[in-house]
Amino acid sequence: MSSERRKPYPFDEIEPQWQKIWEDRQLFHAPNPGENNFDSAKPKFYILDMFPYPSGSGLHVGHPEGYTATDIVARYKRMRGFNVLHPMGWDAFGLPAEQYAIKTGQHPSITTRDNIAKFKTQLQRIGFSYDWEREISTADPRFYRWTQWIFLQIYNSWFNPETQKAEPISTYLGSDPDEVRLAYVAEVPVNWCPDLGTVLANEEVVDGKSEVGGFPVVRRPMRQWMLRITAYADRLANELKDLDWPEGIKLLQRNWIGRSEGAEIKFTIEGHDGAIRVFTTRPDTIYGANYMVLAPEHPLVDRLTTEDRRTGVAKYREQVSSKSDLERTDLAKEKTGVFIGANAINPVTDEKIPIWIADYVLMGYGTGAIMGVPGHDERDLEFARKFDLAVMPVVQMQGKTAEESIGAIEDGIAINSPLINGLPTPEAKKKIIGWLEQNGSGRADIRYKLRDWLFSRQRYWGEPFPVVWESEPNRPHGKHRALDEKELPLIPPPLDDYKPTGTGEPPLAKAKEWVRYSEKATRETNTMPQWAGSCWYYLRFCDPQNDERFVGEETERYWMGGVGAGVSPANDKAEASKRKAADTAAASTGGVDLYVGGTEHAVLHLLYARFWHKVLFDLGYLSKSEPFQRLVNQGMILGEDNRKMSKRWGNVIDPLDVIAEYGADAFRCYEMFMGPLEQMKPWSMKGVEGVFRFLARVWRLIMIENQAGQWEMSPAVKDVDLSKAQQKILHATIKKVTEDIESLSFNTAISQMMIFVNAFTTANTIPILAMRPFLILLNPFAPHLSSELWERLGAKEEITDQSWPQHDERLLVEDEAEIVVQVKGKVRDRMTMSILATEEEMKTLVLANPKIQQLIAGKTVLKVVVVPRKLVNIVTD
RNA sequence: GCCAGGGUGGCGAAAUUGGCAGACGCGCCAGACUUAGGAUCUGGUGGAGCAAUCCUUAGGGGUUCGAGUCCCCUCCCUGGUACCA
């Protein structure tokens, strides 16, 4: 490595200079309504990156991919006259800092602060135009005070099924509000990792082991805080409709929510009072239900099992409970189960059907019980074959016999079903549900795969819950009560020892003083999960310094309101109440105008944030019911060997190494030139060099090295008019770059700029009039280089204050066009013709072409297809 | 298994409504300048063939004057999901 080697252009000098200028002058600060330099005539544009967790290892090349894309759009939109909100912050609570604390004793806030400083330096070295005055950290009390405040709003609300909205808990008329709160406590099975001494989120458990350390994880019931996200299942699914998101991501969310329509059916039990309730999406197949299956954990099992079956049932349940979740689902190729001795009555046939337990029925979905219809359910069929149960077809497929229809799960015509025989599946469902309702045996029902959100963690480094437990005679744990919002922020106590207790009791429990709230009340010692801060950080960016409110009303309306909205009159009470009353569908556009980040957040962060947003919207705090109007996922960057970058393969690229060698501009441009933003693509150092050479050519278009080795303005740069050809390529470039930024096709925008530069490289004079607009086009991509050259060309104003050039369509039209001449669809010649030539003239010209005449000699011309300005196709026999 | 997204030169990739496939970049080849080149510039570069020409967008079929693009089938890759009743 020869660091001595002369740089093809002095990026190492100019880049830090410009970064300093941008920081010193706070050039990219976006004024809020009410600020001095706020211009209400400017439309707003909110463009957001998914903020990073500031890990100890610093940025990798994946982060700046999305960040560069948004930075280009942000710089472009500013020059198009928008007031652009482009902020950056830190998702700063998280397990790594806590584990580092356990190892070293260093307080997580110190680790976090250092990592943030490192990340910020790195981001600034890439030249991003963030409004650093809006920097936030989720671990800052001034921020999490409001995270806790939002939790209080959720806690103090319920979901009114009548209005399909969250409402203050005071509007609930039932006897026990704790039954309906959107935040509640429940005893649920969680992922408990004994070695780490903590519960883990599902996403932290990989193949039954902890992601960190690879320790075994077991399911264990614990008292946990839950958020009632399932209340919003329908709205979360339905309101995706109007969002400008990739269809794949919408589908992922819909599948995650997993809405299925069907019926709940009651099966009475022979010799017992109670009934077994099942959920099915195919009530029309009920005549084929000749057995039932309960989940082994189903509460009725004990009561229903007959004496002679007890040992068998106990043995089977034992077997199942010793299996991990993984074994139970993955190894379940072969169906297992036992008959429990009891029988149920099929409500439509009045026939006795045996009740089994089997682990293919899960307690966690539906009612934890099913009716077995072997004729039309793959799993039931497998089960019936294994245990020799009868299989009867009750739906016949078109073009198949009844016998052949066994195993078919598609819609067909009901057979062997007296009440609904001959009806197509959809009608059969309706009719049978009607019958069940009339007979008190069932009703239409909707179920979701989505579960309520387990919202508490046994960790130190997270937001403490603003909740205390007051002792009450009849409750072993006491009764929860929310703190008053005046008591916020609730700051976690200092600890000497961050180690998990090992019992499942959170580390905060060790701070005895802190835990003791009053004579008869103790603090909640769980903390919130890492997702909490990211559920609303985009709102805080609008108004990060506000200590009166989580976000100022007018500010929220401005940034999170309609796209390109101006400012509405301040403090209009009537307006506000009208907004509250507005129905949710009508308010479902607006918000963050462009949100860029990885697909890994498709269901978790993006679903959680939408949920919180809707609650706050329902309670009247927000303008729109959806936070992120447009979403784009950047693709993953692979190593040069086409494998995922990892230490294991030694293929990790450090952005700072690339920048040291080629500069930030080359780094930015290469990341964008690699290929389409959303696509997965491998890194190539050679590719960086290619882009770097392009930037060096731009530099040398304008600068020349003198004898002394100093860069000075090239004498070729002159204040002269452009030739017609130059005029054309300039305007073609303006057009292409503009359109490509709008469509986020940055790779082709750069291609076009390369074409532009190639065209001027050979020119002996370089017209300033061509260079100035070009530098503006280049500025979002290579801000340092373009700023420096702009200044060297003697401009008085900053390049960032320029308005974006506009192309003149008239300069792009040609007098003549090259026409493709085809015979029977094959290209045989090309001819130049006036673009004004009529179809008839074009046809005549082509038929007069000797080469064509030769080719069609002796043949009959059946047809001539003429596409004006493009092509003539002669069809012969 | 199911769902989604892909498959175009040696490589990363381009290609409005179906209308010149391979723009731009890398790599490679040749040349210029040079004491030198891992700098810079110029030209060439999908495959076969001396050539005219033929072949070519994973494979096969179809629609069309014309298909990378639209339709059907098959294969392969990537991501998600996994007994969801």
Side-chain angles (χ1 to χ4, degrees):
Chain A
M1 284 275 280
S2 59
S3 51
E4 302 301 311
R5 180 154 54 95
R6 282 201 56 75
K7 302 277 194 283
Y9 81 95
F11 64 82
D12 52 334
E13 290 165 33
I14 63 177
E15 289 184 353
Q17 279 172 18
W18 285 100
Q19 284 157 16
K20 184 157 191 316
I21 289 170
W22 298 333
E23 200 187 355
D24 290 350
R25 299 190 198 158
Q26 286 295 318
L27 226 46
F28 305 114
H29 174 61
N32 270 357
E35 269 182 62
N36 284 340
N37 47 352
F38 179 77
D39 179 356
S40 64
K42 278 189 175 185
K44 71 96 183 179
F45 192 79
Y46 186 175
I47 179 162
L48 182 67
D49 293 305
M50 290 183 186
F51 68 162
Y53 172 74
S55 69
S57 45
L59 283 182
H60 57 79
V61 292
H63 287 118
E65 189 192 12
Y67 299 169
T68 303
T70 53
D71 197 58
I72 289 167
V73 176
R75 288 174 179 269
Y76 162 77
K77 287 282 181 184
R78 287 191 198 102
M79 291 197 269
R80 294 294 302 243
F82 286 80
N83 188 17
V84 175
L85 177 51
H86 186 41
M88 180 45 78
W90 318 104
D91 191 13
F93 279 127
L95 199 53
E98 180 168 325
Q99 288 187 322
Y100 189 72
I102 293 168
K103 249 195 284 180
T104 65
Q106 174 165 282
H107 194 276
S109 66
I110 308 287
T111 313
T112 304
R113 191 194 61 199
D114 292 352
N115 289 348
I116 286 175
K118 186 169 171 181
F119 259 70
K120 187 172 177 182
T121 309
Q122 293 190 350
L123 290 179
Q124 287 180 321
R125 186 59 194 89
I126 306 175
F128 294 132
S129 63
Y130 293 121
D131 179 356
W132 287 110
E133 285 179 37
R134 294 176 185 265
E135 179 181 357
I136 54 178
S137 157
T138 55
D140 180 345
R142 278 186 73 196
F143 178 91
Y144 69 70
R145 164 194 185 166
W146 297 108
T147 310
Q148 291 167 331
W149 178 85
I150 294 170
F151 175 83
L152 292 181
Q153 308 313 305
I154 296 171
Y155 176 90
N156 287 318
S157 314
W158 70 298
F159 190 83
N160 185 342
E162 299 287 309
T163 57
Q164 283 289 300
K165 277 177 162 190
E167 290 177 11
I169 196 73
S170 54
T171 68
Y172 178 67
L173 302 174
S175 56
D176 185 3
D178 287 352
E179 277 176 3
V180 296
R181 289 180 190 277
L182 288 179
Y184 64 99
V185 176
E187 181 101 3
V188 290
V190 295
N191 302 304
W192 167 252
C193 179
D195 294 81
L196 291 174
T198 176
V199 294
L200 297 170
N202 287 332
E203 55 278 0
E204 290 161 341
V205 182
V206 183
D207 292 340
K209 298 199 179 103
S210 64
E211 195 186 16
V212 182
F215 302 114
V217 173
V218 296
R219 300 287 274 176
R220 166 179 156 178
M222 285 172 75
R223 263 175 56 253
Q224 300 291 327
W225 281 95
M226 309 287 292
L227 299 190
R228 209 177 297 276
I229 189 171
T230 50
Y232 279 85
D234 259 336
R235 275 174 60 191
L236 286 169
N238 294 339
E239 292 172 29
L240 283 168
K241 191 171 74 263
D242 301 318
L243 298 180
D244 186 7
W245 287 21
E247 281 307 317
I249 301 293
K250 290 192 190 180
L251 197 71
L252 231 48
Q253 288 214 352
R254 283 198 193 99
N255 290 344
W256 187 265
I257 294 165
R259 178 191 154 103
S260 38
E261 268 180 63
E264 189 180 286
I265 304 177
K266 263 202 292 199
F267 284 71
T268 52
I269 308 160
E270 196 189 30
H272 284 79
D273 286 342
I276 298 173
R277 296 178 308 126
V278 305
F279 174 71
T280 176
T281 53
R282 294 297 299 273
D284 59 305
T285 63
I286 188 165
Y287 282 94
N290 56 349
Y291 70 97
M292 302 199 72
V293 184
L294 304 183
E297 306 89 342
H298 197 285
L300 283 175
V301 174
D302 276 332
R303 261 209 288 150
L304 300 185
T305 304
T306 52
E307 225 29 71
D308 55 321
R309 302 279 170 175
R310 283 218 183 268
T311 38
V313 166
K315 206 169 132 206
Y316 183 73
R317 292 175 94 182
E318 175 65 42
Q319 232 175 61
V320 169
S321 67
S322 71
K323 279 193 212 170
S324 71
D325 275 14
L326 193 68
E327 288 171 315
R328 183 161 165 182
T329 52
D330 226 45
L331 304 176
K333 290 268 179 280
E334 181 94 329
K335 291 276 178 288
T336 60
V338 292
F339 175 50
I340 66 169
N343 292 294
I345 307 296
N346 183 321
V348 291
T349 62
D350 275 337
E351 273 168 30
K352 258 178 25 179
I353 60 176
I355 303 171
W356 290 63
I357 58 172
D359 66 356
Y360 83 95
V361 174
L362 309 173
M363 197 56 227
Y365 184 76
T367 60
I370 61 156
M371 58 180 199
V373 184
H376 304 282
D377 182 283
E378 221 182 316
R379 299 147 301 178
D380 295 348
L381 182 59
E382 217 184 301
F383 188 81
R385 294 235 156 108
K386 173 91 190 275
F387 294 105
D388 261 334
L389 300 164
V391 178
M392 179 171 73
V394 289
V395 183
Q396 189 169 358
M397 296 299 119
Q398 178 149 38
K400 286 190 179 174
T401 64
E403 202 57 31
E404 286 165 350
S405 298
I406 288 177
I409 53 169
E410 303 85 12
D411 285 8
I413 304 292
I415 54 170
N416 298 325
S417 307
L419 282 169
I420 49 174
N421 269 336
L423 291 181
T425 302
E427 274 124 81
K429 283 180 181 173
K430 253 183 240 160
K431 185 158 181 200
I432 206 80
I433 290 173
W435 186 90
L436 290 167
E437 276 171 357
Q438 269 177 10
N439 290 271
S441 301
R443 60 185 172 86
D445 196 13
I446 295 164
R447 295 277 169 165
Y448 303 90
K449 275 198 266 183
L450 184 71
R451 306 297 154 79
D452 276 341
W453 178 12
L454 195 159
F455 193 67
S456 46
R457 299 288 184 273
Q458 291 71 53
R459 289 189 187 151
Y460 175 76
W461 192 229
E463 303 88 346
F465 281 79
V467 167
V468 295
W469 291 82
E470 291 174 337
S471 51
E472 245 185 44
N474 295 330
R475 302 187 194 219
H477 304 289
K479 188 182 177 331
H480 49 77
R481 174 175 76 73
L483 294 184
D484 191 277
E485 61 178 83
K486 288 190 198 73
E487 296 176 75
L488 303 182
L490 173 59
I491 298 173
L495 282 186
D496 300 325
D497 174 17
Y498 307 95
K499 255 195 224 78
T501 57
T503 62
E505 202 175 17
L508 290 189
K510 294 183 196 173
K512 303 279 184 231
E513 288 285 294
W514 181 86
V515 169
R516 210 182 113 92
Y517 177 77
S518 71
E519 200 54 43
K520 49 169 225 160
T522 59
R523 290 190 195 276
E524 169 65 55
T525 53
N526 280 296
T527 53
M528 299 186 200
Q530 204 186 338
W531 308 106
S534 58
C535 273
W536 76 283
Y537 75 111
Y538 57 92
L539 292 169
R540 189 62 179 171
F541 274 138
C542 298
D543 203 1
Q545 311 301 334
N546 196 331
D547 286 324
E548 306 301 315
R549 211 166 182 278
F550 73 113
V551 53
E553 275 179 281
E554 188 189 359
T555 307
E556 189 278 330
R557 224 173 299 143
Y558 177 69
W559 291 115
M560 294 304 293
V563 176
V567 211
S568 37
N571 298 326
D572 186 337
K573 283 250 169 74
E575 256 278 73
S577 61
K578 213 190 294 166
R579 226 179 17 259
K580 271 183 208 175
D583 102 317
T584 52
S588 63
T589 57
V592 172
D593 299 285
L594 179 61
Y595 193 24
V596 176
T599 350
E600 65 272 21
H601 294 117
V603 279
L604 300 168
H605 158 63
L606 286 171
L607 199 62
Y608 297 155
R610 292 180 62 222
F611 165 50
W612 278 35
H613 197 94
K614 287 185 190 304
V615 175
L616 290 170
F617 171 76
D618 286 351
L619 297 175
Y621 292 111
L622 299 176
S623 312
K624 302 284 176 183
S625 69
E626 282 286 340
F628 314 120
Q629 184 53 36
R630 183 173 178 208
L631 173 75
V632 170
N633 294 118
Q634 86 265 23
M636 202 198 311
I637 296 183
L638 304 172
E640 301 221 39
D641 54 3
N642 254 299
R643 286 190 285 212
K644 220 168 166 168
M645 277 194 201
S646 99
K647 286 189 189 121
R648 181 170 158 213
W649 303 119
N651 59 357
V652 177
I653 304 286
D654 182 341
L656 290 190
D657 291 346
V658 180
I659 290 169
E661 184 97 11
Y662 302 103
D665 284 334
F667 177 76
R668 295 167 58 111
C669 289
Y670 174 65
E671 288 235 357
M672 295 299 101
F673 187 63
M674 288 172 85
L677 181 63
E678 306 191 46
Q679 190 171 302
M680 189 193 294
K681 45 211 178 279
W683 186 268
S684 157
M685 271 309 176
K686 287 285 184 192
V688 184
E689 263 177 69
V691 173
F692 177 61
R693 281 203 279 267
F694 156 67
L695 294 176
R697 274 205 297 280
V698 173
W699 176 261
R700 288 196 312 271
L701 224 43
I702 292 169
M703 306 301 291
I704 195 167
E705 205 171 6
N706 67 18
Q707 294 292 331
Q710 305 282 319
W711 288 106
E712 56 187 37
M713 175 99 79
S714 160
V717 176
K718 293 196 178 105
D719 196 358
V720 292
D721 282 336
L722 310 200
S723 71
K724 211 169 169 198
Q726 289 174 332
Q727 194 76 263
K728 195 183 154 195
I729 193 159
L730 172 64
H731 283 260
T733 304
I734 294 171
K735 182 178 184 188
K736 178 92 177 126
V737 172
T738 307
E739 288 171 355
D740 284 354
I741 293 177
E742 291 283 357
S743 65
L744 310 184
S745 309
F746 307 111
N747 53 334
T748 49
I750 293 171
S751 294
Q752 181 62 36
M753 289 191 281
M754 286 173 168
I755 293 170
F756 176 92
V757 170
N758 292 346
F760 280 85
T761 303
T762 46
N764 18 16
T765 57
I766 304 292
I768 293 181
L769 283 174
M771 290 303 114
R772 286 220 171 104
F774 172 73
L775 289 174
I776 297 173
L777 300 180
L778 182 62
N779 181 259
F781 298 83
H784 312 86
L785 173 69
S786 53
S787 295
E788 179 71 18
L789 289 174
W790 179 265
E791 193 179 83
R792 299 245 188 176
L793 281 179
K796 288 180 204 77
E797 295 169 319
E798 296 288 344
I799 189 168
T800 44
D801 288 334
Q802 302 305 305
S803 35
W804 192 256
Q806 281 194 304
H807 79 276
D808 184 342
E809 196 67 41
R810 286 168 308 180
L811 296 172
L812 296 179
V813 285
E814 300 262 11
D815 303 337
E816 296 184 316
E818 193 176 59
I819 304 300
V820 172
V821 183
Q822 296 180 331
V823 176
K824 289 175 84 173
K826 293 210 160 151
V827 181
R828 294 300 175 184
D829 202 4
R830 274 147 220 196
M831 299 173 72
T832 304
M833 296 179 196
S834 160
I835 59 157
L836 300 171
T838 63
E839 293 192 19
E840 211 41 50
E841 285 164 349
M842 286 172 71
K843 188 169 159 183
T844 313
L845 279 166
V846 167
L847 289 173
N849 182 329
K851 203 166 163 184
I852 300 303
Q853 282 179 341
Q854 214 171 24
L855 279 162
I856 61 172
K859 292 181 177 155
T860 322
V861 175
L862 302 173
K863 188 175 174 185
V864 178
V865 180
V866 180
V867 181
R869 276 170 285 177
K870 282 216 172 106
L871 141 159
V872 176
N873 187 11
I874 299 166
V875 187
T876 64
D877 55 350

